């Protein structure tokens, strides 16, 4: 089931904004001295008149959706809280980011807005899909530069998602080699229409080399001009394959207990932090998901353990997928606040993602459930999403059939802006 575009609330305060207004205005106690003082025209005291003016201003201010309010994320002064979620678009031929990505990303750039790039492979063993970008060679770094520069020219803040697909890979390994994983169990043949080959379980002595690939990718991302990196620890890819107990069947120091299963993820974080500094590193996790048959028997414990463990590295942000996104593209409403323990445990900026629209994004910010909210499909189909949210304007529908096709324009840069232009 796909989320339908949010076309409700065409004018005035919406429910969330109204609740927020009531909470901060009427919810507080009015100091008794407000009611003392001279009575002026219309029978009001000076303080009562001041209070009325303040209330009027506040009502005006609170017509701005909370998603559109500024937020300071480390050294980055974000002008709003609507984040472009990382989205693989399969249009980087031969692993090289292409000039058409300049238009795609700049269409979605706002001054002070945060964008997270599509997943970029950290090495040639990391690739899982056709025409995805890399960030492991000099040529790839050079190809990213004009894209990053263009986003910066428009005032955007741009993070590169660095990724290893692990066992979610077919036909992309050098010389037909076997994909690597925490396990030698493959995904079920036929899953997502692919005849998955069984992966090869990484030997212990190989793991530092993979950690180093992430370290070099982080360095390369900074070299390409990105403001930082997001480590892809979600959605059933290599890092997730180590963390989740339905996949990781190791009995060494990288498997078994929660601490041991999370060790690889934390080593990757540590390496990236050593390389580029914690203030430029974020991580994405999906403890509740079982994409690509990567689920966990106790996602609450996994999520909370990671949120706490990450604090020791002082990273910039933790980006987590809602439990309602169990299968890619599905949304189940049920457990609205399951990320709250992670949000409370983690000391940095918290980004929530997965099935959000304007209303529940505003609610998440109003309730301090998240600092920022990442939007995937709505942003893909609405390059001017922040403006549309500000105006509460109608949204374009997304076309799922062109998500992963290779055309440099169709389904990529041809979604219209509000004024009809592309
Ligand atoms: C076309 C497409 C590509 C995606 N690629 C990635 C990716 O590269 N990395 C990632 O972490 N998530 C990826 N996702 C997941 C999105 O970032 C997001 O979490 C998901 O779409 C749910 O959010 P939404 O309901 O706002 O779309 C992708 C989603 C879509 C639709």
């Amino acid at each position: 089931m796909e989320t339908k575009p949010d076309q409700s609330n065409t004018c005035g305060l919406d429910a969330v904004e109204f609740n927020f207004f009531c909470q901060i205005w009427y919810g507080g106690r009015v100091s008794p001295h407000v009611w003392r003082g001279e009575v002026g025209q219309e029978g009001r005291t000076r303080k009562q008149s001041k209070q009325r003016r303040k209330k009027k201003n506040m009502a005006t201010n609170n017509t701005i959706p909370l998603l559109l309010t500024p937020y300071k994320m480390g050294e980055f002064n974000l002008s709003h809280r609507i984040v472009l979620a990382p989205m693989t678009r399969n249009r980087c031929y031969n692993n090289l980011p292409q000039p058409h990505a300049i238009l795609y990303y700049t269409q979605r750039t706002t001054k002070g807005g945060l964008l997270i790039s599509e997943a970029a492979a950290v090495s040639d063993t990391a690739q899982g899909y056709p025409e995805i970008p890399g960030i492991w060679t000099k040529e790839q770094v050079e190809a990213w530069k004009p894209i990053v520069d263009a986003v910066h020219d428009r005032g955007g803040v741009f993070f590169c998602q660095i990724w290893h697909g692990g066992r979610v890979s077919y036909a992309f390994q050098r010389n037909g080699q076997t994909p690597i994983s925490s396990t030698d169990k493959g995904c079920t043949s036929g899953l997502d229409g692919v005849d998955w080959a069984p992966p090869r379980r990484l030997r212990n002595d190989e793991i530092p080399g993979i950690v180093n690939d992430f370290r070099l990718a982080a360095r390369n991302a900074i070299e390409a001009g990105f403001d930082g990196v997001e480590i892809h620890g979600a959605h059933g890819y290599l890092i997730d394959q180590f963390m989740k107990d339905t996949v990781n069947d190791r009995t060494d120091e990288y498997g078994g207990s929660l601490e041991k299963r999370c060790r690889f993820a934390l080593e990757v974080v540590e390496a990236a932090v050593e390389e580029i500094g914690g203030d430029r590193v974020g991580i994405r996790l999906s403890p509740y998901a079982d994409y690509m048959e990567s689920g966990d028997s106790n996602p609450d414990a996994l999520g909370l353990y990671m949120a706490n463990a990450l604090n020791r590295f002082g990273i910039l942000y933790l980006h987590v997928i809602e439990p309602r996104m169990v299968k890619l593209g599905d949304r189940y409403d049920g457990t609205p606040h399951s990320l709250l323990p992670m949000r409370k445990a983690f000391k940095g900026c918290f980004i929530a993602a997965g099935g959000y629209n304007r209303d529940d994004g505003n609610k998440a910010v109003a309730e301090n459930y998240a600092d920022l909210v990442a939007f995937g499909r709505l942003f893909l189909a609405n390059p001017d999403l922040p403006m549309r949210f500000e105006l509460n304007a109608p949204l374009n529908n997304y076309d799922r059939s062109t998500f992963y096709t290779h055309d440099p324009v169709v389904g990529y840069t041809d979604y219209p802006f509000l004024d009809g232009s592309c």
Side-chain angles (χ1 to χ4, degrees):
M1 190 180 76
E2 296 183 351
T3 47
K4 289 279 173 268
D6 167 25
Q7 297 186 358
S8 58
N9 302 317
T10 48
C11 61
L13 292 176
D14 69 14
V16 174
E17 290 148 9
F18 183 72
N19 283 341
F20 181 71
F21 172 78
C22 294
Q23 217 176 309
I24 58 174
W25 181 253
Y26 297 109
R29 291 183 43 208
V30 179
S31 166
H33 68 256
V34 166
W35 304 104
R36 285 186 225 122
E38 289 171 350
V39 178
Q41 282 176 346
E42 299 172 31
R44 277 184 217 114
T45 67
R46 262 206 306 269
K47 284 197 174 165
Q48 280 173 323
S49 301
K50 197 172 156 198
Q51 200 76 357
R52 270 174 69 88
R53 280 198 303 277
K54 198 171 153 196
K55 182 174 163 184
K56 205 171 152 199
N57 289 341
M58 202 175 284
T60 311
N61 290 341
N62 280 292
T63 56
I64 297 173
L66 293 170
L67 282 169
L68 269 298
T69 56
Y71 175 76
K72 187 160 169 53
M73 182 182 76
E75 69 179 56
F76 304 103
N77 290 310
L78 303 181
S79 62
H80 61 78
R81 296 155 187 262
I82 301 161
V83 179
L84 175 68
M87 280 180 288
T88 294
R89 303 308 317 277
N90 304 80
R91 285 150 166 99
C92 295
Y93 316 133
N94 299 317
N95 306 126
L96 281 179
Q98 298 292 313
H100 48 245
I102 295 176
L103 181 57
Y104 172 73
Y105 282 110
T106 53
Q107 283 179 332
R108 287 157 185 79
T109 303
T110 45
K111 191 166 164 22
L114 174 62
L115 297 86
I116 305 168
S117 80
E118 61 209 276
V122 299
S123 72
D124 62 355
T125 69
Q127 310 171 57
Y129 302 114
E131 319 297 10
I132 49 99
I135 187 84
W136 77 89
T137 70
K138 180 85 185 138
E139 197 185 1
Q140 292 158 359
V141 170
E142 291 304 314
W144 274 114
K145 281 182 181 173
I147 303 165
V148 181
D149 286 348
V151 168
H152 284 158
D153 287 348
R154 293 199 164 205
V157 176
F158 203 6
F159 272 54
C160 180
Q161 190 182 57
I162 55 175
W163 167 74
H164 196 302
R167 70 177 184 171
V168 183
S169 177
Y170 62 99
F172 301 107
Q173 302 298 312
R174 197 175 359 138
N175 306 325
Q177 286 174 354
T178 308
I180 54 177
S181 181
S182 60
T183 177
D184 52 18
K185 281 184 306 197
C187 296
T188 303
S189 183
L191 180 71
D192 273 359
V194 175
D195 194 11
W196 303 100
R200 177 175 72 75
R201 182 193 307 260
L202 276 166
R203 294 189 316 270
N204 259 8
D205 63 311
E206 294 175 295
I207 292 178
I210 308 295
V211 172
N212 200 49
D213 289 338
F214 277 94
R215 174 196 299 272
L216 297 178
R219 185 194 297 168
N220 285 344
I222 298 300
E223 164 69 23
F226 282 104
D227 296 291
V229 297
E230 173 174 289
I231 295 164
H232 196 342
H235 298 161
Y237 300 116
L238 184 63
I239 293 177
D240 208 38
Q241 290 159 30
F242 271 86
M243 284 191 288
K244 302 273 179 75
D245 62 5
T246 61
V247 180
N248 185 334
D249 53 2
R250 304 173 79 94
T251 53
D252 57 16
E253 57 266 42
Y254 288 95
S257 68
L258 188 53
E259 290 76 6
K260 289 179 176 175
R261 282 184 278 120
C262 293
R263 181 176 168 176
F264 174 64
L266 295 172
E267 286 182 355
V268 168
V269 171
E270 187 174 29
V273 168
E274 279 171 7
E275 197 62 36
I276 63 172
D279 52 348
R280 297 194 173 266
V281 175
I283 187 169
R284 192 172 218 213
L285 300 175
S286 59
Y288 295 92
D290 75 349
Y291 302 128
M292 304 312 293
E293 300 178 322
S294 186
D296 197 82
S297 61
N298 191 349
D300 289 338
L302 172 61
L304 194 56
Y305 175 81
M306 281 299 291
N308 278 310
L310 289 166
N311 284 329
R312 69 174 185 268
F313 302 104
I315 61 170
L316 185 63
Y317 72 74
L318 172 58
H319 182 180
V320 190
I321 315 296
E322 288 285 347
R324 60 193 177 198
M325 306 299 290
V326 176
K327 299 276 178 218
L328 198 61
D330 287 352
R331 172 176 164 150
Y332 307 97
D333 285 315
T335 48
H337 283 137
S338 308
L339 300 185
L340 206 52
M342 292 180 76
R343 194 289 192 264
K344 286 184 174 164
F346 182 67
K347 302 278 186 280
C349 166
F350 192 83
I351 309 178
Y356 275 95
N357 59 28
R358 181 179 186 270
D359 282 354
D360 52 19
N362 278 327
K363 189 163 184 278
V365 177
E367 294 178 351
N368 198 24
Y369 175 73
D371 298 307
L372 308 174
V373 181
F375 294 86
R377 290 162 293 176
L378 296 188
F379 221 149
L380 183 153
N382 295 275
D384 50 358
L385 190 67
M387 199 223 283
R388 288 180 192 245
F389 277 177
E390 186 169 1
L391 302 175
N392 207 3
L395 300 179
N396 299 325
N397 289 309
Y398 49 80
D399 176 5
R400 184 182 285 270
S401 72
T402 54
F403 279 175
Y404 304 110
T405 48
H406 309 318
D407 194 283
V409 176
V410 178
Y412 189 54
T413 50
D414 60 351
Y415 283 105
F417 284 71
L418 206 45
D419 66 5
S421 67
C422 284

